[in-house]
Amino acid sequence: MFALWSQFLAWLSPTRRTSAPEDQAKALIKAIDAGGLPLNAARVNDIARRLGLEVSTRAPMEETIERIRRALKR
């Protein structure tokens, strides 16, 4: 009975769709170009890594953002 109930609840719950790394990167760059400042360096690094870039935890965020820009232009 419990398994049936949990399947029913899973069916009712909305599914979370994650956007592609390219979409996340484009949204990040668009927000920065509009005057926003990224506050979470870990999120910027995560987006860069999902694009296939190797990112040092010591790399300046500005450098990582420029690398993301170049990766999107490819």
Side-chain angles (χ1 to χ4, degrees), residues 13-41:
S13 66
T15 57
R16 292 186 67 194
R17 298 183 68 187
T18 58
S19 59
E22 293 83 11
D23 294 338
Q24 291 177 344
K26 288 176 185 176
L28 173 70
I29 298 301
K30 183 177 178 181
I32 291 170
D33 290 344
L37 295 174
L39 299 177
N40 190 347

Side-chain angles (χ1 to χ4, degrees), residues 35-54:
L37 295 174
L39 299 177
N40 190 347
R43 180 158 164 71
V44 173
N45 289 346
D46 182 55
I47 291 171
R49 287 186 184 106
R50 288 175 186 235
L51 287 174
L53 303 174
E54 291 185 22

